[in-house]
Amino acid sequence: MQVSVDRDRCCSSGMCVTNAPEVFDQDGRDSLVVLRRTVLLPEQFDDVVLAAELCPGRAITVTGDEPERIGA
Ligand code: SF4
């Protein structure tokens, strides 16, 4: 599972940082999104997918398989 961002589409809303602060940050100069990591841990998947769904600029892309759910 990997995440990428298109900074040209980012409008600096900060929604991604609110939902997944361990994965996303904002540049201190222009507030555009900055990735803390590109390869996701299984426990980060749901928060990052939610961040992608809520991103007003549609700037976040998640690729790869969803992690297996133990006990699901
Ligand atoms: S939620 Fe989207 S538009 Fe807002 S800061 Fe993050 S990447 Fe940029």
Side-chain angles (χ1 to χ4, degrees):
M1 297 165 294
Q2 294 187 309
V3 60
S4 60
V5 294
D6 181 349
R7 286 169 55 93
D8 290 336
R9 297 185 63 94
C10 178
C11 56
S12 309
S13 71
M15 289 293 292
C16 54
V17 181
T18 299
N19 285 288
E22 68 283 1
V23 176
F24 301 100
D25 199 357
Q26 287 179 278
D27 190 301
R29 293 165 297 173
D30 55 19
S31 297
L32 293 176
V33 64
V34 176
L35 284 175
R36 293 181 179 274
R37 58 186 305 140
T38 58
V39 178
L40 300 177
L41 301 174
E43 60 268 29
Q44 295 171 329
F45 184 82
D46 287 347
D47 288 344
V48 172
V49 168
L50 179 62
E53 291 173 352
L54 297 177
C55 172
R58 295 287 182 221
I60 301 169
T61 301
V62 183
T63 56
D65 294 333
E66 183 176 353
E68 289 186 27
R69 310 279 175 174
I70 298 174

